[in-house]
Amino acid sequence: MVTLVVEDGKEIVRHAPAVAVVAVDRQERVLLVRQERQAVGGKVLEIPAGILEAGEQPLEAAKRELREETGLHGGEWVEAASLLSSPGFTDERIHLFLATGLEEGDSDPDEGENLELVRVPAAALPGLLPEIEDAKTLAGLLLYLRR
Amino acid sequence: MVTLVVEDGKEIVRHAPAVAVVAVDRQERVLLVRQERQAVGGKVLEIPAGILEAGEQPLEAAKRELREETGLHGGEWVEAASLLSSPGFTDERIHLFLATGLEEGDSDPDEGENLELVRVPAAALPGLLPEIEDAKTLAGLLLYLRR
């Protein structure tokens, strides 16, 4: 998934493109996932996200990941931003979508993906912001609050 | 600066802690830097940022980096967030500060740091948001606009 290369004497981490979704259901609740993140040694509260599979377009990947992780599907989708995670050392790009009016359904998480789903009424988001550590999640929720 | 390790079969990129500053001068202009980022193969418009040096506290590092890159100093500082760049694969944490009322001074950029300084009146920030690709910059500017 990640490759460390040295180009012109500089260490660069190559990373596959990713997608993330600010997912809002028909009851105006935003769905977040809390999961163990080995890289940071603890659980992190994030918007649903994942990596593009070979041949996938970002929107297609975002819809697949959201449905697998949460069961949510349908609704209206817009690309809200195209983010660079940390351009000082990695080329990872995250296509950030806003999906509203989503319908519930059955989820199908990857083996070993231990996800806790957290539903937050849109009106409660401002109070949640100080707890958010994940950069894409903070940017995505702030963009949603400006809509 | 970055180290790729494998822990329990998972590739993780270890990265030193970083700092970034939404820097606002006495004329209510936000100072951004545009620089070539080798990892993404082009120039990126970002808030001033850098890596903690050994023994430095985040606030101290943020003040040093801002002064070196832009000459801005003084003012009022608050830590606005503590961000994880991309917790799916790296432990990089960025301490994000908001500094207002900053005074101009002489900059002292690192050798080879080819920075273009861009001053944006606070009132023009909303129109700039669609151009922002860097995640910490988008989160920082959105937080500043909510203050």
Side-chain angles (χ1 to χ4, degrees):
Chain A
M1 193 180 87
V2 297
T3 313
L4 182 61
V5 299
V6 179
E7 289 181 6
D8 296 337
K10 174 150 177 74
E11 291 178 314
I12 290 172
V13 175
R14 299 279 170 218
H15 191 288
V19 291
V21 187
V22 178
V24 188
D25 68 16
R26 295 187 162 195
Q27 290 79 49
E28 294 276 320
R29 297 175 303 185
V30 176
L31 193 60
L32 301 173
V33 296
R34 184 178 277 119
Q35 63 184 311
E36 181 69 26
R37 287 300 204 176
Q38 197 177 326
V40 300
K43 292 195 171 185
V44 182
L45 186 63
E46 299 171 57
I47 54 177
I51 307 290
L52 257 75
E53 293 182 352
E56 263 186 334
Q57 293 300 309
L59 176 59
E60 184 185 357
K63 289 181 173 180
R64 176 185 52 74
E65 283 285 349
L66 183 66
R67 187 157 193 164
E68 285 175 3
E69 291 190 357
T70 72
L72 289 174
H73 62 280
E76 302 294 317
W77 290 68
V78 293
E79 184 158 358
S82 172
L83 295 177
L84 299 168
S85 295
S86 193
F89 81 97
T90 181
D91 64 351
E92 188 191 25
R93 182 178 289 278
I94 302 175
H95 298 273
L96 176 65
F97 292 89
L98 169 60
T100 52
L102 292 164
E103 298 170 46
E104 309 226 21
D106 293 329
S107 64
D108 179 25
D110 287 346
E111 192 94 11
E113 241 184 348
N114 194 354
L115 300 176
E116 177 197 350
L117 302 187
V118 179
R119 290 177 174 80
V120 182
L125 279 183
L128 183 70
L129 294 178
E131 285 176 46
I132 301 297
E133 292 192 298
D134 177 50
K136 68 179 177 298
T137 300
L138 184 58
L141 295 180
L142 287 166
L143 282 174
Y144 173 63
L145 289 169
R146 281 181 67 81
R147 81 200 177 284
Chain B
M1 194 181 84
V2 297
T3 313
L4 182 60
V5 299
V6 179
E7 290 180 6
D8 296 338
K10 175 152 176 72
E11 290 179 314
I12 291 172
V13 175
R14 298 281 170 218
H15 191 288
V19 291
V21 187
V22 178
V24 188
D25 68 16
R26 294 186 162 196
Q27 290 79 47
E28 295 275 322
R29 296 175 304 184
V30 176
L31 194 59
L32 301 173
V33 296
R34 184 178 277 119
Q35 63 184 310
E36 180 70 26
R37 289 299 204 176
Q38 198 177 327
V40 299
K43 292 194 171 186
V44 182
L45 186 62
E46 298 171 57
I47 55 176
I51 307 290
L52 257 76
E53 294 183 351
E56 263 186 334
Q57 294 300 310
L59 176 58
E60 183 184 357
K63 289 182 173 179
R64 175 185 53 74
E65 284 285 350
L66 183 66
R67 188 158 193 163
E68 286 175 4
E69 291 189 356
T70 72
L72 289 174
H73 62 281
E76 302 292 319
W77 291 69
V78 293
E79 184 158 358
S82 172
L83 294 178
L84 299 168
S85 294
S86 194
F89 80 97
T90 180
D91 63 353
E92 188 190 26
R93 181 178 289 278
I94 303 175
H95 298 272
L96 176 65
F97 292 90
L98 170 59
T100 53
L102 292 164
E103 298 170 45
E104 308 228 19
D106 293 329
S107 64
D108 180 24
D110 286 346
E111 193 93 12
E113 242 184 348
N114 195 353
L115 300 176
E116 177 198 349
L117 302 187
V118 180
R119 290 177 175 79
V120 182
L125 279 183
L128 183 70
L129 293 178
E131 284 177 45
I132 301 296
E133 293 193 297
D134 177 51
K136 67 179 178 298
T137 300
L138 185 58
L141 296 180
L142 286 166
L143 281 174
Y144 173 63
L145 289 170
R146 281 181 67 82
R147 80 201 177 286

